[in-house]
Amino acid sequence: MKPLWQVERALELAHAGLNNCEIARELGVNRRTISDWVRGRTRVRRRGASRVRQVATCPRCSRQANFIPGLTAFAYAYLLGLYLGDGMISAHPRGVYRLRIFLDRKYPLIIAECEAVMSIVITASKVGVYHHRAEMVAEVNSFSKHWPHVFPQHGPGRKHERTIALEPWQKRIVDRHPGRLLRGLIHSDGCRVTNRIRHPKRTYTYPRYFFSNRSLDIQRIFCDACDRLGIAWKQDGPWNISVARREAVKIMDRHVGPKR
């Protein structure tokens, strides 16, 4: 008999819209077994029905220590980058917390990607998008009691005024998906620009990435992810990291690319 957390997670992912093959790859379980679970053909499912509603809301609680490898970790690495850049968690009554990611309304695909990964990481919580018309800002948000479990960097004060350090389980995910972390960090606090250098006979143009954050700890997390992928970077002022070498930009383009 399979452990309860696998049944719970399979039902969460099915509720989020994944098909049986995708869930099977995520959990490392036979597709026919997943089909039986989704149809309710398991004693674990029936006996643990009340526990599914209580426990199957947080991937960390479901497994007590680590995220399930696969799609959840892939989505989480990107959401972690967005949170470290332009995200915050606020407390609400009855132990509920709201995760809020602030994005530029000019980039609807980034907003949609943020909405998707947020719904994958904690599938039991609805995700909403609120457009601040006066400020041209889109706020992607979700309410859950478990967001501080997912982002232990949450704390009082601004991120650049306190220590930001990844926990060992987060480092394992980032080591596995450094490109996804970079994608989230650039989509929240970075950009891809075209540099122009004018000479008397010719004007040279080349793409370049910038990441800007006032937290030295978050800058270090960005640079460590670049190092894992062999991306050359340099400090460009106290708050900016620049990626300009041709080969480095090519690697960044594979994982990030222009904002849309």
Side-chain angles (χ1 to χ4, degrees), residues 12-259:
E12 290 178 358
L13 295 173
H15 180 73
L18 276 70
N19 61 41
N20 292 343
C21 291
E22 292 171 325
I23 298 171
R25 287 194 294 269
E26 167 78 3
L27 300 181
V29 176
N30 186 277
R31 181 179 59 82
R32 292 184 179 180
T33 302
I34 297 295
S35 178
D36 288 340
W37 291 351
V38 172
R39 295 178 182 180
R41 298 174 181 174
T42 169
R43 289 176 297 171
V44 174
R45 168 68 177 91
R46 290 194 292 272
R47 291 178 181 177
S50 61
R51 286 192 61 191
V52 170
R53 289 192 296 271
Q54 297 173 5
V55 178
T57 56
C58 174
R60 287 198 70 200
C61 293
S62 297
R63 215 179 181 188
Q64 298 181 351
N66 296 306
F67 278 90
I68 302 167
L71 179 63
T72 306
F74 186 79
Y76 177 78
Y78 177 69
L79 187 59
L80 175 62
L82 293 177
Y83 167 73
L84 292 176
D86 278 325
M88 63 175 293
I89 296 174
S90 53
H92 288 259
R94 300 181 182 179
V96 176
Y97 293 84
R98 177 168 61 160
L99 172 64
R100 306 164 73 188
I101 307 292
F102 299 93
L103 300 168
D104 195 323
R105 289 179 58 197
K106 292 187 300 184
Y107 306 115
L109 294 184
I110 293 178
I111 296 170
E113 187 172 2
C114 175
E115 185 179 3
V117 296
M118 197 179 291
S119 65
I120 289 172
V121 172
I122 295 188
T123 57
S125 298
K126 293 182 179 180
V127 179
V129 180
Y130 176 72
H131 293 279
H132 300 260
R133 297 184 182 277
E135 302 176 3
M136 289 298 294
V137 172
E139 175 192 318
V140 185
N141 62 67
S142 175
F143 291 86
S144 174
K145 294 183 177 181
H146 299 276
W147 285 122
H149 304 171
V150 178
F151 296 110
Q153 289 71 34
H154 165 64
R158 300 174 179 176
K159 294 191 189 83
H160 68 275
E161 296 175 345
R162 52 190 170 88
T163 301
I164 300 294
L166 299 182
E167 292 195 354
W169 62 267
Q170 291 177 302
K171 291 180 180 178
R172 289 194 293 272
I173 291 176
V174 169
D175 287 342
R176 199 180 309 135
H177 303 292
R180 292 292 292 173
L181 176 72
L182 291 177
R183 182 177 179 86
L185 289 169
I186 291 294
H187 280 178
S188 58
D189 267 351
C191 62
R192 183 186 189 274
V193 300
T194 299
N195 265 21
R196 288 180 172 82
I197 300 177
R198 291 182 173 85
H199 288 285
K201 295 183 179 180
R202 184 177 177 183
T203 298
Y204 297 90
T205 63
Y206 63 94
R208 187 177 188 179
Y209 282 88
F210 284 101
F211 175 70
S212 179
N213 197 290
R214 295 180 66 182
S215 168
L216 296 180
D217 292 335
I218 296 176
Q219 288 183 33
R220 190 175 301 111
I221 291 171
F222 176 88
C223 295
D224 287 345
C226 287
D227 291 340
R228 292 187 192 98
L229 292 172
I231 297 172
W233 56 270
K234 70 175 183 178
Q235 194 81 33
D236 191 356
W239 299 344
N240 297 321
I241 306 295
S242 169
V243 175
R245 292 186 181 180
R246 182 180 300 177
E247 294 302 319
V249 170
K250 285 183 179 179
I251 299 173
M252 288 288 285
D253 281 345
R254 288 201 294 266
H255 296 281
V256 184
K259 288 185 175 183

